Amino acid sequence: MRYVKYAIIALFLFSIVTYTITWYSDKNSTDSSMPEIKISEQQIEASVKDKDALLKGVVAMDEKDGDITGNLVVESISKFVNKKEHICNVTYAVADSDSHVVKATRKVRFTDYKSPRFIVKKPLCIEMGSNTSVTSLIGAKDVIDGDISNKVKILSNMVSTNVSSENVVTAQVTNSLGDTVKLKAEVAVSQSNNISPTIQLTKNIVYIKKGDKFSAKKYIDSAKDSDGKGISKDKVKIKGSSVKTNKAGCYSVKYSVMDDDGNEGNAYLTVMVEE
């Protein structure tokens, strides 16, 4: 019995020693220090196309791991903190080998930023009785987020395809930087027939700078009668235009053409005048 007692005591002491050694080893092998992000400039300028520029002048160091700049990531870009100057906050994050994470923030001014632009995928002419929605015709693209057509909202009342009409529709889209733009476009609902001539425009929406010259005729591509026979572009008339190039805003142009039998066809161009 005495030997058994000694064996139990020895096993107990061995367990304590083993636990102590393991605890001490783990304590000394685990780094309790936090990494550090160093930023050379608190505000930089960058192109929206140069994603690598956001990391320039930013390094990360860790007491145990040394230089961990390669682990740095751009965690987020905030909404504009200065919309006029196109300035955002950029947040950086880095983790060391012990999964300690630190973050830091600085400002970036995007030198070539442009607000989102709308895309008119098809002419804004809807056939009476059809299931075509205005949402399916209007999209948007952005220099930061790319295609943001899924973020387009129609703010005005939905267009009814039950009656022939001309409607002014307001669309809105907002990108991840909080920049919101609106579009007011004319949408026509008309009775489909096989005798009206058609007008093909080179674009369904155009963007021009405030003060630029604008020629509605420039965007006429072609015209055809109901049999597909070409009609001279000279016969396409500007039936109405609200475009004012001296004032930023959204405008429309209505084109009209008559075939030899007196049948009329129309087309619409949306014009965005930017600052």
Side-chain angles (χ1 to χ4, degrees):
M1 293 296 292
R2 181 181 300 177
Y3 293 111
V4 174
K5 181 179 179 181
Y6 290 156
I8 292 173
I9 293 173
L11 180 62
F12 176 72
L13 292 174
F14 177 77
S15 298
I16 292 176
V17 171
T18 301
Y19 174 79
T20 303
I21 293 173
T22 302
W23 175 83
Y24 184 80
S25 176
D26 289 344
K27 181 181 179 181
N28 284 275
S29 64
T30 301
D31 178 24
S32 61
S33 64
M34 300 293 287
E36 180 183 6
I37 297 176
K38 298 179 180 180
I39 297 175
S40 60
E41 298 176 90
Q42 290 305 309
Q43 180 171 316
I44 61 168
E45 295 189 347
S47 165
V48 294
K49 301 175 184 178
D50 188 1
K51 302 302 182 183
D52 293 336
L54 297 179
L55 287 167
K56 290 180 179 177
V58 185
V59 297
M61 302 297 294
D62 182 70
E63 186 175 312
K64 175 184 175 182
D65 301 334
D67 188 342
I68 54 172
T69 302
N71 296 345
L72 273 167
V73 295
V74 175
E75 183 184 65
S76 64
I77 300 175
S78 75
K79 294 182 179 181
F80 283 126
V81 295
N82 185 328
K83 185 176 180 180
K84 184 178 179 181
E85 298 295 328
H86 304 149
I87 297 175
C88 300
N89 286 327
V90 180
T91 299
Y92 305 93
V94 71
D96 63 15
S97 60
D98 292 301
S99 299
H100 297 141
V101 178
V102 294
K103 300 179 183 181
T105 301
R106 72 171 170 183
K107 289 181 169 57
V108 57
R109 186 178 79 84
F110 290 113
T111 57
D112 52 354
Y113 175 82
K114 294 183 183 299
S115 293
R117 286 189 168 187
F118 286 97
I119 304 167
V120 177
K121 303 172 184 178
K122 296 180 180 179
L124 297 177
C125 300
I126 301 176
E127 181 181 337
M128 280 182 59
S130 75
N131 294 323
T132 302
S133 66
V134 175
T135 307
S136 68
L137 301 178
I138 300 175
K141 61 181 180 179
D142 181 60
V143 294
I144 297 292
D145 303 330
D147 188 342
I148 53 174
S149 297
N150 62 335
K151 294 185 178 180
V152 174
K153 297 179 180 179
I154 305 301
L155 303 182
S156 53
N157 293 330
M158 296 304 293
V159 174
S160 172
T161 61
N162 295 326
V163 294
S164 178
S165 60
E166 292 185 348
N167 311 267
V168 176
V169 172
T170 302
Q172 175 180 292
V173 71
T174 303
N175 67 7
S176 62
L177 303 187
D179 191 2
T180 298
V181 293
K182 292 183 179 181
L183 166 75
K184 285 187 176 181
E186 191 164 344
V187 178
V189 178
S190 58
Q191 178 69 52
S192 175
N193 61 63
N194 297 321
I195 61 174
S196 296
T198 57
I199 302 170
Q200 182 68 42
L201 302 177
T202 58
K203 296 181 180 180
N204 297 311
I205 184 171
V206 295
Y207 281 79
I208 63 173
K209 289 292 185 182
K210 179 180 174 181
D212 285 354
K213 292 182 179 180
F214 173 74
S215 172
K217 287 279 189 180
K218 174 184 176 181
Y219 301 98
I220 302 170
D221 181 62
S222 60
K224 296 179 181 179
D225 64 18
S226 58
D227 295 324
K229 181 182 178 181
I231 300 174
S232 172
K233 290 197 294 184
D234 294 335
K235 290 188 177 182
V236 179
K237 307 299 181 183
I238 309 301
K239 196 168 185 178
S241 174
S242 62
V243 178
K244 297 177 181 179
T245 59
N246 63 344
K247 184 179 180 181
C250 182
Y251 305 94
S252 64
V253 179
K254 183 177 181 179
Y255 299 84
S256 177
V257 70
M258 291 279 193
D259 63 15
D260 293 338
D261 296 322
N263 300 307
E264 183 181 17
N266 299 303
Y268 301 85
L269 174 70
T270 300
V271 181
M272 298 290 287
V273 179
E274 297 180 313
E275 290 288 355

